[in-house]
Amino acid sequence: MGGKHSTRSILITTDQVSSVPGSNITGKIYMKLEKAIRASTLWLKFKGKEQTQWSSSAISSKSKGITNLINLKAPVIVWEDGIIPSGDYEIPYTYTLPENLANSFHIDTQNYNADIIYKLKAEIEPEGHKKMKSSVDIQIYNLVQAKEGSIASNKIPVSHCCSVGSFRINIQLDKSAYTPLEKPQVSMEINNTESGANLDSITISLARQIILRSNKKHTFYSEYISSHKTKGCGKGKICERENAISTSLDLSKVQKTLHHAPTITSAKIECMYKLIFDFISNDSCVRNINSCEIPLEICPQIMEIPRPAPEAPAGWNPVTFEVQKLSYEYAEAYAPSAPPLEDEE
């Protein structure tokens, strides 16, 4: 806490790295004061913002956007006489998060980056001195109750040398949403009696689309994340019911890519996933087979990761307070401290 020669310092910690909206965050605030200071209130602040940035090599420009999502503060301890005595302080707290918070988000590439960030801050403003403050990042993840997956029905044209046929396909996922550690089960029912072509194999690709906004502009990125190959359906065959084509996709192989970038729609960031189905035929006369797609929702994997406890400084002998129970319901909203950034050309 504080620098080598600091006479006053403050540190905030939480017991867990991630939390769910509406749940309680627990942790401690540590203070070390070699001298008494003129201040009356120890504040706990909860702040969230989303920010985007991307560059365009074509015109050598850079765009930025920022939106303050939430700014709340609540008093933790109030010293009525306006003086905080010297000493070591250990103040446990529990803070009830607001509901309806967007998921934390992070993507950082060579061309663009996007973040939704939340922080808890402990702060004291001594009279005539700089603020004493400390902050800690909080990962916010919403729980998703996955429902039964929907069915996507498509009639797929097949172009031959001198004719056009088609086949029908029904695609169903076993759930409506998945975490990065799950394996979506894909079932495909195909009626291939009218295409005039063998469907030798099917490639299922997971793709991501990102829309980023600044205060004046927006941009779009699309990328393939993974692919999976499975068997197809022969010419003239009906691959339905017990003969349907079933396969599973292993998202865990790309969990690092997905974990911090779940499906999201916010003021500055849209992140969407879909499965793209490409049909491969080795028939020499087949010229083209259209692909089809189905949306896929990626939700965050809730992980209970304890945050390491800080190392106590030499001679640490704190006064320990009772647990301070705080809630956004009793917090004071204050004006955003960071104004929107203008686009930089």
Side-chain angles (χ1 to χ4, degrees):
M1 296 185 294
K4 182 177 179 181
H5 303 291
S6 175
T7 60
R8 56 186 184 275
S9 55
I10 188 170
L11 177 69
I12 184 172
T13 68
T14 61
D15 295 331
Q16 298 291 331
V17 173
S18 60
S19 296
V20 176
S23 67
N24 292 328
I25 292 180
T26 58
K28 292 180 179 179
I29 300 171
Y30 302 93
M31 296 195 306
K32 187 174 184 64
L33 302 175
E34 293 186 6
K35 297 180 181 179
I37 60 173
R38 290 188 175 276
S40 62
T41 308
L42 168 62
W43 294 97
L44 183 72
K45 297 182 177 182
F46 179 64
K47 305 182 73 174
K49 67 179 180 179
E50 60 176 330
Q51 55 192 23
T52 59
Q53 178 175 299
W54 68 89
S55 58
S56 174
S57 56
I59 54 177
S60 300
S61 68
K62 182 178 290 187
S63 298
K64 295 181 181 181
I66 184 169
T67 297
N68 289 300
L69 300 175
I70 192 166
N71 287 287
L72 300 173
K73 68 177 181 180
V76 183
I77 301 290
V78 176
W79 287 265
E80 298 294 346
D81 59 358
I83 296 177
I84 305 178
S86 62
D88 300 336
Y89 296 84
E90 182 177 299
I91 305 167
Y93 67 88
T94 175
Y95 179 70
T96 303
L97 287 170
E99 305 276 0
N100 302 319
L101 296 174
N103 287 322
S104 295
F105 190 91
H106 173 72
I107 285 184
D108 189 2
T109 72
Q110 184 176 356
N111 297 320
Y112 68 93
N113 56 68
D115 295 277
I116 294 179
I117 303 168
Y118 296 95
K119 290 180 181 289
L120 269 182
K121 293 187 174 184
E123 189 173 290
I124 293 177
E125 189 168 1
E127 185 179 322
H129 295 278
K130 292 182 179 179
K131 289 181 180 179
M132 294 172 54
K133 55 186 179 180
S134 173
S135 66
V136 61
D137 290 342
I138 302 295
Q139 301 294 318
I140 299 295
Y141 295 131
N142 285 273
L143 295 173
V144 175
Q145 299 296 328
K147 302 175 182 178
E148 184 177 353
S150 59
I151 298 176
S153 299
N154 295 272
K155 184 178 181 180
I156 309 297
V158 179
S159 300
H160 297 267
C161 302
C162 13
S163 64
V164 176
S166 64
F167 65 89
R168 291 190 175 276
I169 180 171
N170 293 332
I171 304 170
Q172 183 170 21
L173 302 177
D174 60 318
K175 295 198 303 181
S176 61
Y178 300 89
T179 71
L181 295 180
E182 292 186 297
K183 295 183 177 182
Q185 303 298 310
V186 183
S187 176
M188 294 170 282
E189 290 191 329
I190 299 176
N191 185 326
N192 194 23
T193 58
E194 298 179 0
S195 74
N198 281 306
L199 302 179
D200 295 288
S201 62
I202 303 171
T203 299
I204 307 172
S205 301
L206 174 62
R208 175 166 63 199
Q209 293 181 330
I210 297 280
I211 299 175
L212 303 180
R213 297 182 177 88
S214 67
N215 303 311
K216 298 179 180 178
K217 303 177 182 179
H218 72 275
T219 190
F220 174 86
Y221 295 92
S222 181
E223 59 183 326
Y224 281 83
I225 295 174
S226 66
S227 62
H228 174 84
K229 193 173 184 179
T230 187
K231 66 179 182 178
C233 184
K235 180 170 59 177
K237 291 187 175 181
I238 299 176
C239 303
E240 297 177 349
R241 298 181 182 179
E242 66 273 7
N243 295 318
I245 301 167
S246 298
T247 189
S248 63
L249 310 178
D250 190 358
L251 298 181
S252 65
K253 294 180 180 180
V254 289
Q255 64 167 307
K256 291 183 179 179
T257 302
L258 303 178
H259 175 65
H260 295 293
T263 301
I264 197 168
T265 300
S266 64
K268 292 289 190 290
I269 304 168
E270 288 186 48
C271 180
M272 298 159 285
Y273 293 89
K274 61 183 178 180
L275 295 178
I276 300 174
F277 296 77
D278 290 301
F279 306 95
I280 293 89
S281 175
N282 296 323
D283 293 0
S284 59
C285 202
V286 172
R287 293 289 182 260
N288 180 67
I289 304 178
N290 288 5
S291 61
C292 66
E293 59 188 49
I294 186 171
L296 183 75
E297 182 176 355
I298 299 296
C299 46
Q301 179 73 39
I302 308 297
M303 294 184 290
E304 296 292 335
I305 303 175
R307 196 184 298 273
E311 183 178 350
W316 180 251
N317 184 28
V319 174
T320 302
F321 285 69
E322 294 182 354
V323 176
Q324 304 299 303
K325 297 181 179 180
L326 312 171
S327 171
Y328 76 96
E329 295 178 353
Y330 306 103
E332 173 188 348
Y334 62 100
S337 57
L341 298 177
E342 294 297 328
D343 294 334
E344 296 181 358
E345 300 295 332

